[in-house]
Amino acid sequence: MSTDDHNAAVPDAAPQGAAPPRDLPALGFTERFEALFAPLAPGGLIPGRVSRIDRGQPLVLTADGPLRAELAAHLRGVADAAIAVGDWVALARPEGHDLAIVEAVLPRTSVFTRKDPGDHAVEQVVVANVDTVFVVQSLAPRGPNLARLERELVLAWESGAQPVVLLTKPDLVDDPEALRAEAATVALGVDLHVVCPITGEGFDILAGYLGPGRTVAFFGASGVGKSTIVNRLVGTDVQETAEVRDADGKGRHTTVAREMFFIPGGGIVIDTPGMRALALWNAEEGIASAFPDVEELAGGCRFADCAHTVEPGCAVREAVEAGTLPARRLESYLALREELERLAVKQDARARADKHRSDKAFGRQVKNFYKQRER
Ligand SMILES: Nc1nc2c(ncn2[C@@H]2O[C@H](COP(=O)(O)OP(=O)(O)O)[C@@H](O)[C@H]2O)c(=O)[nH]1
Ligand SMILES: [Mg+2]
Ligand SMILES: [Zn+2]
């Protein structure tokens, strides 16, 4: 922590485990972010990465250490600028101000979103700028939940990060290999590994996804072992874990916040609380990626806009009848598609268009920052 910083540094709130690196590439500041940030450097701003958010105030890791920050007035209430753990931001550090100020949020390489669990057709950004999304499921007590895995994979694909499935608790089941094969039937085109954070099985493979500047995040229901994996990777118990209730095999929500941790050999992990509600948000492409089998069959349907329900000449339903596509797979696909359609009715057109406007929004943020400085 440099002592001449005029903004309060916050060592007490810094993540436990390995200290956050001070060099930006180790924090994930790639050439892409460097180039995006360049127009803001002449304005005296510094780049930093959001490692956690407490009561709306991000903790931002910078080359000068962690700084507590708040959003600039011109970003507040702007949906495009909502920040998430993992975001790269441009910070001002005004003289005599306790908090640094987030003046812009750099366009993301990936963003994991879901529909806000409330009723509204509102997007919730879970984490940003993740390279690999680990979708975690437990093999015990009942084996993988295929429908949930399909939904999780749709969201993971949609994020733009690389999805990878991790299956935990092989030590608690008789035939982990058979359960793995079952999960593999819905995890098309993604790596799938069995890991045991208790024995360390599979951790050599996890290391391959990590390394300096690489960011991985863990998703899955509570109790599947996400925090236990994170603790083993980090090398100390940075996250609380909880015994799973025997009756229903479900875990309690011990992980309450999303937070970034650092791996001694290099690499950044983000743990997340178990998410009960994983409602889709604009996941058209995610569905297409998660169901390559259905999408390919659909190419053979007589009608280009075939809904695979009652149309004549439907190659998808023919495959189900012939036994080459599991009926439950088509049901999942249709249910997820229908969920998206219901969401589209609730969303206004603007909300839908917003998703692809982050580059434009960033340009506006840069302009607003310089405009406000002239005053
Ligand atoms: N036997 C066994 N227990 C595990 C394994 N992974 C996690 N656990 C246990 O499962 C419980 C829930 O783990 P936790 O990491 O808190 O789950 P989270 O909610 O996904 O973060 C804890 O008691 C862990 O010790 C595993 O591979 N084998
Ligand atoms: Mg946890
Ligand atoms: Zn069809």
Side-chain angles (χ1 to χ4, degrees), residues 136 168-172 195-199 220-229 240-244 251-255 271-272 274:
V136 189
T168 59
K169 312 196 187 183
D171 54 320
L172 298 182
V195 298
C196 180
I198 310 286
T199 63
S222 60
V224 297
K226 299 178 298 294
S227 297
T228 313
I229 297 173
E240 249 188 272
T241 60
E243 294 293 324
V244 173
R252 279 166 289 158
H253 284 266
T254 23
T255 309
D271 195 7
T272 66

Side-chain angles (χ1 to χ4, degrees), residues 259-271:
E259 184 171 354
M260 226 178 233
F261 298 100
F262 298 88
I263 295 180
I268 303 157
V269 295
I270 303 175
D271 195 7

Side-chain angles (χ1 to χ4, degrees), residues 119-138:
D119 252 351
H120 313 286
V122 171
E123 175 181 31
Q124 187 181 65
V125 177
V126 181
V127 293
N129 299 320
V130 165
D131 298 300
T132 304
V133 175
F134 289 119
V135 171
V136 189
Q137 283 222 357
S138 167

